[in-house]
Amino acid sequence: MKIATWIDNRENHRFFLLVQKFIEEYLEKKGYLKVDLPVLSPALIPESYLEVFETKFIYMNKKERIYLTPSPELFLKRLLAFGLGDCFYLGKSFRNGDFPSDLHTFEFTILEIYKTNISYLELAEEILAMISYVHKKIKQEKFLSDPTWRSPEIKFDYWEKITVAEAFEKWAGMKRDVLFDHKQFLEKAKEKGYQVEGFSYEEVWSQIYVQEIEPNLGLGERLTLIYDYPKEFAALAKLNPDRRTAQRFEFYFQGKELGDCYTELIDWQEQKQRLIEEIKKRKILRKVNHRIDKGFLEALKYGLKPCSGIAIGVERLALVLLGLSSIQQLKLVSIINED
Amino acid sequence: MKINAGNLKKGDFIIYQQEIWQVQKADFYSPGKGAALMKTRIKNLASGKNIDYAFKSTELVEIIEVQSVEMQFLYRDNENLYFMNERNFEQYSLPIKSVGDSVRFFKEGEKMYVYLYNEKPLAIRPPLSVTLKVTETEMAVKGDTVSSARKPAKLETGAVVMVPLFIKTGDLITINPETGDYTGRA
């Protein structure tokens, strides 16, 4: 990897910061409290699909392992349990394991918002209004510096919505009963030509999702919200009454995932069980064996009000609003892959 | 030989669904649910068509060892391109459709690398740059000084490309055959 500087990105960079400013402006108007949080933590929530950066705190001849946070969730849920109320974090998060590419950097700007007494699909409406506001403000600012600039055509009157089960039936030809039954799902995947021997339901599922579902999401004039994922993909989300799906949605534009939202799981005993599952999966996947944040469960035990939370990749959102194609176009300095 | 899909690189030749493909692009990708994937664009060497395919990063993929041999491009007919290995005068043919668009810039007598697998030609490695003569282009309109302005020019192979206004008939120019872009004056 190497350091790259792009002074010509000055204008894009200015707008990337404006996107953040307008997000804050909107959320503060709506009564959300902005919080600043650590990015280094001695313990983390175990999540099987995330890889983390590990480093060491060194004092004299003593060493303690410490991690860069992949999301601010562990801190924000504590604060919510202690009664902070509606809040957001807008800052850096870190995810290990992927080279930088057009849509990914291992160090990225995350917007994580929590609102109490609201479900995931209700929070979705607030988010749509927020993005619509930022889009409008960006358009006005752009007009001042370049009256010929044409903003990407996006409509914000409603979400294009589809459930995960509907999406698999429509684009992958896999019916609901097959989708949730591990054995049938793997058989069907094999028939479709996927390698399934030695792979878990989760691994094959995410392959088909990326191969056959994602490229179709958000291709129209509106953002697409895809919701109700199999429970295997939502360790921290509340389950639906069907007990097969979780209250999780993601939203997309032009095949790019922009954000991920849950109705948060507040039952500490169920959460404990699910985290044990995640720890097992992390072991099998040989992920960094980090210390488990027990205080997170303690906070749930103390009592978390019903709430929903969403994480948005701010660079990706800015790309969509500015009509750009690579995160690097927003940055003055980037760490990039050598070739 | 089988390798983890996570180790695939641009340029590798693989066997997938019983056919031979060349990797055009490979990006490691963790979608935030399930396992990490290797998102690739692969080109089918029989049909010349590209597809996007996401492998699981730990899935085993058969890669094949391919020889790259310098050959002279002899001529083309309606279906094939013909090459000769200058060391042993062995001749080989490749279907035009497997080569793609860059074929428009191939001049008879040019040297290029042909990939051989089990003594059979698979594909060519297009040169990074080719030098060709402009056979036909209009004189630029005087006063048109926008530096980014372009005009069409016909090359000795018959291909038409966009060039800067100062290029004249008879000039030698360089082209990137993969993209078809003008890259400079030779």
Side-chain angles (χ1 to χ4, degrees):
Chain A
M1 283 184 293
K2 62 179 182 186
I3 301 167
T5 50
W6 287 294
I7 199 72
D8 292 346
N9 287 346
R10 208 179 306 203
E11 188 67 0
N12 287 343
H13 182 254
R14 184 167 80 84
F15 274 89
F16 173 50
L17 295 181
L18 280 175
V19 166
Q20 298 181 44
K21 182 182 149 196
F22 297 140
I23 287 172
E24 282 183 24
E25 207 173 270
Y26 179 87
L27 290 173
E28 277 166 4
K29 256 190 232 170
K30 291 281 174 180
Y32 291 84
L33 183 72
K34 183 177 181 183
V35 287
D36 179 45
L37 295 166
V39 292
L40 281 167
S41 175
L44 298 171
I45 302 173
E47 289 183 88
S48 60
Y49 52 82
L50 293 180
E51 189 52 302
V52 298
F53 283 97
E54 179 184 73
T55 181
K56 285 189 186 82
F57 170 67
I58 301 168
Y59 173 72
M60 303 292 282
N61 55 357
K62 288 184 188 130
K63 283 180 187 164
E64 187 177 344
R65 289 193 295 164
I66 191 161
Y67 310 92
L68 284 163
T69 51
S71 113
E73 186 158 3
L74 73 166
F75 305 129
L76 287 172
K77 280 193 175 160
R78 276 179 166 78
L79 294 172
L80 284 162
F82 300 143
L84 184 73
D86 303 347
C87 57
F88 72 99
Y89 168 79
L90 178 60
K92 292 280 175 109
S93 276
F94 305 84
R95 296 192 182 175
N96 208 344
D98 286 16
F99 271 115
S101 66
D102 285 350
L103 292 180
H104 181 87
T105 50
F106 40 66
E107 167 179 353
F108 66 106
T109 309
I110 196 171
L111 168 64
E112 191 147 313
I113 307 172
Y114 285 89
K115 191 175 172 73
T116 50
N117 298 316
I118 194 171
S119 76
Y120 67 141
L121 292 177
E122 288 163 334
L123 181 57
E125 297 310 316
E126 178 100 282
I127 298 305
L128 191 63
M130 177 192 81
I131 300 172
S132 171
Y133 173 86
V134 177
H135 178 251
K136 197 174 90 197
K137 296 289 272 189
I138 286 291
K139 223 161 128 176
Q140 287 167 358
E141 279 291 329
K142 270 283 188 190
F143 184 78
L144 295 178
S145 61
D146 177 8
T148 63
W149 186 75
R150 293 183 63 88
S151 100
E153 289 298 322
I154 313 173
K155 289 188 179 155
F156 294 99
D157 44 355
Y158 58 85
W159 288 105
E160 208 69 74
K161 280 188 195 162
I162 188 164
T163 65
V164 169
E166 286 162 358
F168 268 81
E169 179 151 8
K170 186 171 178 184
W171 291 303
M174 297 171 102
K175 289 210 174 356
R176 181 178 292 267
D177 292 340
V178 174
L179 181 62
F180 296 109
D181 183 301
H182 292 198
K183 195 166 158 258
Q184 283 192 54
F185 182 84
L186 291 173
E187 275 167 15
K188 179 77 182 171
K190 192 177 175 184
E191 239 173 69
K192 287 165 75 78
Y194 290 95
Q195 255 189 46
V196 303
E197 279 83 14
F199 291 101
S200 66
Y201 169 76
E202 285 88 337
E203 287 169 313
V204 178
W205 188 95
S206 65
Q207 183 183 21
I208 297 180
Y209 182 84
V210 168
Q211 178 66 24
E212 302 191 40
I213 309 301
E214 267 191 343
N216 296 300
L217 300 173
L219 299 187
E221 308 167 293
R222 291 181 181 83
L223 302 171
T224 292
L225 184 154
I226 176 166
Y227 64 109
D228 290 353
Y229 285 77
K231 63 177 189 309
E232 289 82 352
F233 301 99
L236 306 171
K238 181 181 166 184
L239 293 189
N240 277 311
D242 68 7
R243 306 294 294 174
R244 296 198 294 194
T245 57
Q247 297 194 354
R248 171 183 191 172
F249 77 74
E250 292 193 352
F251 71 97
Y252 283 80
F253 192 64
Q254 290 163 350
K256 295 184 193 74
E257 185 210 330
L258 302 177
D260 185 8
C261 176
Y262 301 157
T263 305
E264 302 298 338
L265 177 58
I266 55 173
D267 177 334
W268 74 271
Q269 281 164 314
E270 189 177 340
Q271 183 68 83
K272 191 177 169 188
Q273 279 312 311
R274 294 224 226 141
L275 292 184
I276 291 169
E277 288 302 311
E278 292 295 299
I279 294 167
K280 283 186 201 155
K281 284 186 204 165
R282 284 190 71 88
K283 280 220 170 100
I284 294 169
L285 296 167
R286 294 203 197 117
K287 302 253 178 201
V288 169
N289 181 20
H290 62 70
R291 214 173 101 200
I292 307 302
D293 176 20
K294 296 209 176 79
F296 169 70
L297 269 183
E298 290 299 317
L300 290 191
K301 219 169 178 176
Y302 181 79
L304 184 60
K305 272 192 195 162
C307 64
S308 290
I310 185 165
I312 295 175
V314 182
E315 282 89 353
R316 291 189 187 179
L317 180 65
L319 292 187
V320 166
L321 297 176
L322 297 170
L324 301 172
S325 58
S326 167
I327 288 172
Q328 287 160 14
Q329 293 170 293
L330 302 169
K331 308 278 177 156
L332 295 176
V333 180
S334 285
I335 307 303
I336 60 169
N337 203 354
E338 197 74 51
D339 48 65
Chain B
M1 184 175 67
K2 289 195 168 179
I3 65 164
N4 276 331
N7 293 325
L8 286 174
K9 300 182 305 294
K10 183 181 170 182
D12 283 348
F13 291 89
I14 63 168
I15 297 187
Y16 166 68
Q17 308 273 353
Q18 286 97 45
E19 295 191 62
I20 299 177
W21 306 72
Q22 190 177 25
V23 178
Q24 309 293 305
K25 228 177 117 187
D27 288 319
F28 203 79
Y29 174 67
S30 311
K33 44 197 169 295
L37 300 167
M38 196 66 175
K39 276 179 121 173
T40 64
R41 174 158 298 158
I42 51 177
K43 180 178 169 185
N44 185 308
L45 294 183
S47 68
K49 290 212 171 70
N50 284 309
I51 62 162
D52 290 328
Y53 190 74
F55 291 96
K56 294 175 284 290
S57 63
T58 53
E59 176 169 345
L60 289 176
V61 180
E62 176 88 45
I63 69 164
I64 55 175
E65 290 286 341
V66 167
Q67 258 184 301
S68 147
V69 182
E70 195 184 44
M71 296 198 194
Q72 196 189 102
F73 171 45
L74 297 177
Y75 65 98
R76 58 185 284 181
D77 60 22
N78 288 333
E79 279 161 23
N80 295 307
L81 301 175
Y82 297 88
F83 297 90
M84 183 177 70
N85 182 343
E86 288 181 311
R87 291 197 166 184
N88 54 17
F89 304 105
E90 197 86 50
Q91 286 192 25
Y92 298 91
S93 69
L94 257 180
I96 291 174
K97 66 177 181 186
S98 75
V99 176
D101 237 17
S102 54
V103 72
R104 301 188 292 140
F105 305 106
F106 294 172
K107 201 167 71 172
E108 288 174 11
E110 289 271 299
K111 286 185 183 140
M112 48 189 79
Y113 283 88
V114 176
Y115 290 116
L116 295 182
Y117 175 58
N118 289 341
E119 282 303 300
K120 284 201 187 107
L122 273 186
I124 59 150
R125 190 176 85 197
L128 294 175
S129 173
V130 292
T131 302
L132 293 168
K133 191 187 267 182
V134 176
T135 54
E136 214 182 305
T137 188
E138 280 182 29
M139 288 297 284
V141 184
K142 225 180 178 182
D144 195 348
T145 52
V146 184
S147 63
S148 61
R150 289 280 198 271
K151 61 173 182 177
K154 193 170 179 183
L155 307 176
E156 58 185 308
T157 58
V160 176
V161 293
M162 299 307 283
V163 299
L165 300 181
F166 58 78
I167 297 295
K168 301 182 299 293
T169 301
D171 282 353
L172 283 173
I173 63 169
T174 56
I175 300 287
N176 174 342
E178 271 201 278
T179 60
D181 291 339
Y182 164 90
T183 52
R185 246 195 301 198

